């Protein structure tokens, strides 16, 4: 998130993602248990001033929580070089996932297109997990990451390395390989490469082999805050 990122900006980064699920101070306090929205907005300003453009701003949309703020986030994208990425609510440990809170990207896109006409699809890389749109003359863009309702597993080329050194080949899978432990045991570069290759070879075609979001929710996994990536 952007609470303390302003302290680290300018230290060798070339791209930046920040997480922000609300532009309302009271709602931010409710969601994060800290009154830090002004700090995050200052981090956004600092990132843009340092040339991190387009700045990716990740927003998880939840029904009954923040779906009414989509237009405000879109206004931010139209006015500033920010790619607001609307992410479908995904099940992880300890996040109280429910399909009743899931707002499909198609629903968001249809509503936003009706309220703010002129939205057009932009060409992006084939392996991009987001579908990106913008308006003529806009400074930024809005993107939709539809992990639950329109999975993009076939084109996904993402790997995640957690802060404690574990490799995840799928965000939703509970299985991990500890590269940290292998390195501490003296594994060579070739042996580490073999571990990564083996993990990729076992990767399922979709959602870690789980049939539905409900199956994902029932599978033991880390909270997103400890996965990172």
């Amino acid at each position: 998130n952007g609470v303390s990122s302003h302290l680290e900006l300018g230290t060798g980064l070339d791209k930046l993602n920040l997480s922000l699920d609300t532009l309302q101070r009271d709602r931010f306090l409710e969601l994060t248990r800290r009154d830090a929205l002004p700090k995050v907005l200052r981090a956004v300003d600092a990132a843009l001033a340092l040339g991190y453009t387009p700045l990716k701003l990740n927003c998880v949309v939840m029904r009954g929580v923040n779906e009414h703020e989509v237009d405000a986030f879109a206004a931010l994208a139209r006015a500033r070089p920010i790619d607001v990425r609307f992410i479908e609510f995904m099940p992880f440990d300890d996040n109280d996932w429910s399909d009743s809170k899931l707002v499909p990207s198609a629903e968001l896109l249809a509503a936003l297109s009706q309220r703010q006409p002129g939205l057009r699809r932009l060409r992006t890389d084939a392996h991009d997990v987001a579908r990106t749109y913008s308006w003529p003359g806009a400074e930024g863009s809005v993107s939709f990451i539809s992990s639950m309702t329109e999975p993009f597993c076939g084109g996904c080329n993402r790997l995640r390395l957690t802060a404690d050194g574990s490799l995840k080949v799928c965000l939703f899978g509970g299985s991990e390989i500890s590269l940290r432990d292998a390195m501490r045991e003296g594994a060579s570069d070739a042996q580490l490469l073999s571990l990564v290759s083996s993990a990729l070879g076992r990767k399922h075609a979709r959602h870690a082999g789980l049939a539905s979001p409900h199956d994902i929710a029932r599978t033991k996994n880390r909270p997103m805050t400890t996965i990172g990536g």
Side-chain angles (χ1 to χ4, degrees):
N1 61 52
V3 173
S4 60
S5 61
H6 65 286
L7 301 175
E8 306 295 335
L9 293 178
T11 56
L13 298 174
D14 56 9
K15 295 181 181 179
L16 192 64
N17 283 35
L18 296 179
S19 295
L20 182 60
D21 294 338
T22 180
L23 296 170
Q24 298 178 3
R25 191 166 182 172
D26 57 342
R27 182 55 53 83
F28 188 98
L29 175 60
E30 179 183 343
L31 291 174
T32 67
R33 298 186 294 278
R34 60 177 70 185
D35 185 18
L37 179 59
K39 288 185 178 181
V40 176
L41 296 179
R42 286 198 297 272
V44 170
D45 291 339
L48 293 176
L50 287 168
Y52 292 107
T53 57
L55 176 66
K56 292 182 179 180
L57 202 61
N58 293 336
C59 176
V60 178
V61 182
M62 295 166 281
R63 196 178 305 280
V65 177
N66 62 348
E67 82 275 19
H68 61 286
E69 295 189 61
V70 167
D71 284 284
F73 274 103
L76 192 64
R78 298 184 76 159
R80 310 186 74 180
I82 295 173
D83 179 29
V84 176
R85 294 154 67 87
F86 295 119
I87 302 173
E88 290 183 340
F89 188 34
M90 298 177 284
F92 294 99
D93 282 12
D94 304 327
N95 76 344
D96 194 28
W97 185 86
S98 167
D99 57 3
S100 65
K101 294 181 181 178
L102 173 63
V103 183
S105 293
E107 177 183 326
L108 282 182
L109 177 59
L112 189 59
S113 298
Q114 184 176 23
R115 294 193 297 262
Q116 299 193 34
L119 200 57
R120 299 174 183 174
R121 178 84 180 265
L122 302 182
R123 179 176 296 179
T124 55
D125 186 89
H127 298 293
D128 202 327
V129 300
R131 291 171 295 139
T132 302
Y133 298 77
S134 191
W135 298 264
E139 289 290 320
S141 56
V142 292
S143 295
F144 299 85
I145 300 179
S146 316
S147 305
M148 296 292 95
T149 61
E150 300 175 69
F152 39 79
C153 304
C156 178
N157 62 356
R158 303 305 202 264
L159 297 176
R160 289 179 185 255
L161 185 64
T162 66
D164 57 2
S166 290
L167 179 73
K168 293 178 73 72
V169 297
C170 179
L171 183 60
F172 302 115
S175 61
E176 302 175 358
I177 291 180
S178 179
L179 300 182
R180 177 200 63 189
D181 290 350
M183 293 176 70
R184 287 179 176 176
E185 292 168 3
S188 66
D189 288 351
Q191 289 171 324
L192 291 173
L193 180 59
S194 178
L195 286 174
V196 174
S197 297
S198 295
L200 284 171
R202 295 191 295 272
K203 185 176 181 178
H204 291 274
R206 173 171 167 167
H207 283 174
L210 301 168
S212 72
H214 295 280
D215 291 328
I216 296 172
R218 287 190 289 267
T219 300
K220 182 66 178 175
N221 197 358
R222 298 183 186 224
M224 188 62 190
T225 52
T226 67
I227 294 176

